[in-house]
Amino acid sequence: HERFDVIIMDALDPNTSLEIAGGLYDDSTFVDLLFDALTEQGVFVVQLGRSKMSTDPPDDVGRFKDTGLMIRALEKSGFGSIHTYDEGHSEFHMPWSYLVAFKDYKSRAGWHRTAPEVQIELRRRLDQTKSGKPILRYFDAATMVSYQLPSKAQETTYCRGEDEPWECDEYVGVDPEYVHLPASEYLKVGKRIFGEHASGRGLFAKQDIPYYTSLALDENGKAFQIPPLTWSVIESLLTWAETNEDAIPFVEDEISTVHTFVEGYGHAAILMGAQHMAVDSGVMLFMNHGCNDTYNYGYLSDEDRAVRFTETNVNVDNLDDVTEHIINSASAYSPVYERNLRHALNTGDYALRDIKEGEEVLTDYLAFSGDPDTWKEEVRKLKGLCAGAIVGAINEYEDSRSEESS
């Protein structure tokens, strides 16, 4: 049967508590039909009625009960990414809420475009007016970016449910019980010895770091963030520059500098749908990988402790075994994740044991790839680094520049 790129539904408000509406959302048949009617990159859009207030009950009771039923049905049917946003120009008596559900998880990358990226798309796809004034009255790139962040009321009511989602405790604010150790007092950068030779820089303890304490919490929110489409552009430019290196040599040099810095010091994730990068803005970026399970700083759940994958024991040909433990993706629907993406990317780590003064602080790079599409190759690189067969991206770059200048 014919499939649709977009399905927009207006009837049967899920917050009006009509019996027929509740029946549709409580039974998966209707939502499964919607899912099957969409193309692989399809989008479903529906209005949810008046926007939530912080005093409203959770979705599983009260007037928003059918909204909760619909969201759970969308998740169950397989929609990969679900977002809600508020709009104040619908000419109702108060702001109105809308839901956008993407069939494919990777479509989140389009939802999380930056304002310049959205502006370019609007310019490319919309007709221009003779007067030069915007053709859209209430929508522009800045408005689209504002939709990416659910309201505080949506987060509050989401976390008010009887079974509080785990991310409400993990990502809403910082746990006051965390013991924060400032980087300036507890960390220093020094030469790293790997095997018999110096191997770049490393991060070392200036004094004893007790078990379960967190380092540089005040710097975590200041990391440089490179969104999915921005990183894709950088990689495309590098490929283009390498192809045209003979004609325009200096371009490849400049772009490779940026690319090496981000790839060498950053860590990847797919919380925004496709690979995006984050680079710490302080000394934490000098933390190296602890080969063969020797890392002493990071995050381990009880399940992770039981499994404890390393670059030596992980099966790169069976991604299903490691996805849950190593490659993190966002929940299909979570206002908490959407409001706290930076927090989710850069917090939660702690000392996994007592770290003695002078000891190198090491983490686990297995999760730094973040992207299932490139993870296998990244694991092979880690195996090579730990075996001493290859050098890291930063060392390789600096060595090549030293050779060029000598």
Side-chain angles (χ1 to χ4, degrees), residues 15-172:
N15 75 341
T16 55
S17 297
L18 294 174
E19 183 176 350
I20 185 174
L24 285 174
Y25 303 127
D26 197 19
D27 185 344
S28 63
T29 303
F30 173 63
V31 177
D32 287 346
L33 287 171
L34 285 174
F35 184 86
D36 291 338
L38 288 167
T39 58
E40 291 307 307
Q41 303 295 324
V43 184
F44 170 59
V45 184
V46 63
Q47 58 120 340
L48 298 178
R50 67 105 166 149
S51 297
K52 292 179 180 177
M53 296 183 289
S54 59
T55 53
D56 284 326
D59 284 348
D60 47 7
V61 297
R63 66 178 299 164
F64 293 102
K65 181 179 180 180
D66 288 338
T67 298
L69 288 174
M70 182 180 67
I71 291 174
R72 286 192 289 274
L74 291 170
E75 290 179 299
K76 185 177 179 180
S77 68
F79 280 90
S81 189
I82 303 168
H83 308 263
T84 55
Y85 69 92
D86 298 329
E87 174 53 59
H89 297 99
S90 301
E91 298 192 0
F92 296 112
H93 61 283
M94 64 188 307
W96 223 244
S97 289
Y98 299 85
L99 178 146
V100 179
F102 297 104
K103 189 172 181 177
D104 186 6
Y105 178 83
K106 292 183 179 180
S107 296
R108 287 174 60 85
W111 181 259
H112 285 287
R113 290 181 180 184
T114 63
E117 290 165 340
V118 175
Q119 192 62 47
I120 290 171
E121 278 295 292
L122 292 176
R123 182 76 178 181
R124 184 177 68 85
R125 299 177 66 176
L126 295 177
D127 292 331
Q128 302 303 306
T129 61
K130 291 183 179 180
S131 66
K133 294 181 179 179
I135 195 170
L136 300 177
R137 189 173 183 182
Y138 296 122
F139 184 84
D140 58 12
T143 304
M144 179 63 227
V145 171
S146 73
Y147 290 161
Q148 296 171 4
L149 197 67
S151 69
K152 178 62 177 175
Q154 290 181 32
E155 179 185 74
T156 299
T157 55
Y158 175 78
C159 293
R160 190 173 280 153
E162 183 176 351
D163 296 323
E164 182 185 78
W166 68 270
E167 65 264 32
C168 297
D169 181 59
E170 188 75 22
Y171 295 135
V172 179

Side-chain angles (χ1 to χ4, degrees), residues 100-334:
V100 179
F102 297 104
K103 189 172 181 177
D104 186 6
Y105 178 83
K106 292 183 179 180
S107 296
R108 287 174 60 85
W111 181 259
H112 285 287
R113 290 181 180 184
T114 63
E117 290 165 340
V118 175
Q119 192 62 47
I120 290 171
E121 278 295 292
L122 292 176
R123 182 76 178 181
R124 184 177 68 85
R125 299 177 66 176
L126 295 177
D127 292 331
Q128 302 303 306
T129 61
K130 291 183 179 180
S131 66
K133 294 181 179 179
I135 195 170
L136 300 177
R137 189 173 183 182
Y138 296 122
F139 184 84
D140 58 12
T143 304
M144 179 63 227
V145 171
S146 73
Y147 290 161
Q148 296 171 4
L149 197 67
S151 69
K152 178 62 177 175
Q154 290 181 32
E155 179 185 74
T156 299
T157 55
Y158 175 78
C159 293
R160 190 173 280 153
E162 183 176 351
D163 296 323
E164 182 185 78
W166 68 270
E167 65 264 32
C168 297
D169 181 59
E170 188 75 22
Y171 295 135
V172 179
V174 177
D175 190 334
E177 294 185 1
Y178 277 4
V179 178
H180 166 227
L181 306 181
S184 59
E185 297 179 23
Y186 283 84
L187 297 171
K188 63 181 179 181
V189 179
K191 279 287 185 182
R192 187 191 192 207
I193 304 298
F194 187 76
E196 299 179 356
H197 307 285
S199 179
R201 304 167 190 84
L203 196 61
F204 298 86
K206 290 172 67 173
Q207 54 180 300
D208 291 351
I209 299 172
Y211 167 65
Y212 209 68
T213 54
S214 295
L215 296 163
L217 282 178
D218 53 335
E219 297 179 4
N220 287 336
K222 302 175 184 177
F224 299 105
Q225 304 291 336
I226 298 94
L229 294 181
T230 303
W231 181 239
S232 177
V233 168
I234 292 173
E235 292 199 304
S236 297
L237 283 173
L238 179 61
T239 300
W240 173 86
E242 289 173 341
T243 304
N244 297 275
E245 183 178 5
D246 293 338
I248 323 175
F250 68 90
V251 175
E252 190 277 335
D253 184 62
E254 295 296 328
I255 297 176
S256 66
T257 299
V258 175
H259 188 274
T260 302
F261 174 79
V262 175
E263 191 177 55
Y265 285 125
H267 55 274
I270 55 169
L271 293 182
M272 294 183 183
Q275 189 178 79
H276 53 102
M277 306 294 291
V279 185
D280 287 306
S281 60
V283 297
M284 297 293 280
L285 63 82
F286 293 110
M287 195 180 300
N288 288 305
H289 173 67
C291 293
N292 197 23
D293 202 23
T294 58
Y295 60 95
N296 50 28
Y297 191 81
Y299 175 83
L300 284 175
S301 66
D302 292 339
E303 293 82 1
D304 293 336
R305 290 179 187 277
V307 178
R308 198 81 176 196
F309 285 114
T310 72
E311 76 286 340
T312 56
N313 68 17
V314 70
N315 182 359
V316 295
D317 295 317
N318 193 352
L319 191 60
D320 292 339
D321 283 351
V322 299
T323 298
E324 181 180 352
H325 299 279
I326 297 176
I327 299 175
N328 297 316
S329 57
S331 304
Y333 174 73
S334 175

Side-chain angles (χ1 to χ4, degrees), residues 332-351:
Y333 174 73
S334 175
V336 174
Y337 251 121
E338 301 306 313
R339 286 181 56 86
N340 299 277
L341 275 174
R342 279 178 175 261
H343 191 50
L345 280 167
N346 296 292
T347 58
D349 293 344
Y350 54 86

